[in-house]
Amino acid sequence: VIVLALMPVFLLVGTAIKLDSPGPVFFRQARVGFRNRVFTVYKFRTMISSHTTIVDRHAAITQENDPRITRVGRILRKFRVDEFPQLINVIKGDMGLIGPRPEALSLSKWYEAEIPFYHYRHIIKPGITGWAQVSQGHVSDITDVSQKLHLDFYYVKNFSFWLDVLIMLKTVKVIVKGIGAK
């Protein structure tokens, strides 16, 4: 029902992306999910299309004021509209609405090699939003990712309906204020 209700938004965003830069409307990337299973995540494309098939961990990290981000992409990222197609992943069963964010395959392999117990974050389904996202935002530095892992573990340990409600409320605040986007 939500996907059907969002179809006009999908069409509007898709048209804006096509008018802004050449390339596909959707970005697809291999991500690591539940039980370390690799799946394809869907997002609206926010970067120039030559960077849509990222396998290098350095290219997978979005930097502050990244020159690869398109004009429309900046707006989509600020208000997290680029995340809407992940509802397809939720319908397919690859993701839930709430849980640890799935990382790009190249980043996940790097983090697993550098951070003890990193792979334990895959004991539950990843989510579009989660405790680490609303508490810390976008990170890529190993030290920050280690802190993010602790926030993911906090969510796993304290999983409850009320924590999910709190995460959803904080997610709405992040979207409305455009906080922490890169």
Side-chain angles (χ1 to χ4, degrees), residues 135-182:
S135 299
Q136 187 182 34
H138 183 85
V139 298
S140 55
D141 176 77
I142 286 290
T143 305
D144 294 336
V145 173
S146 183
Q147 177 60 34
K148 178 181 172 182
L149 179 64
H150 290 287
L151 293 167
D152 287 338
F153 286 163
Y154 176 88
Y155 176 75
V156 171
K157 181 180 176 187
N158 297 288
F159 172 79
S160 71
F161 173 76
W162 295 111
L163 182 56
D164 282 358
V165 169
L166 178 62
I167 291 168
M168 289 305 290
L169 292 172
K170 285 180 157 238
T171 298
V172 170
K173 180 180 173 184
V174 166
I175 290 170
V176 169
K177 291 189 172 191
I179 302 167
K182 282 195 179 182

Side-chain angles (χ1 to χ4, degrees), residues 47-79:
M47 293 186 171
I48 56 176
S49 62
S50 63
H51 292 282
T52 57
T53 55
I54 297 170
V55 289
D56 175 38
R57 77 171 194 224
H58 300 291
I61 298 172
T62 306
Q63 304 298 324
E64 279 297 325
N65 299 313
D66 198 312
R68 300 173 295 174
I69 299 174
T70 64
R71 291 174 302 198
V72 168
R74 290 216 183 278
I75 297 165
L76 297 179
R77 283 171 172 261
K78 182 173 183 175
F79 297 104

Side-chain angles (χ1 to χ4, degrees), residues 93-106:
D94 294 327
M95 295 175 68
L97 292 176
I98 300 172
R101 285 290 294 155
E103 293 290 354
L105 182 58
S106 58

Side-chain angles (χ1 to χ4, degrees), residues 99-111:
R101 285 290 294 155
E103 293 290 354
L105 182 58
S106 58
L107 291 177
S108 190
K109 287 180 179 181
W110 178 40
Y111 298 154

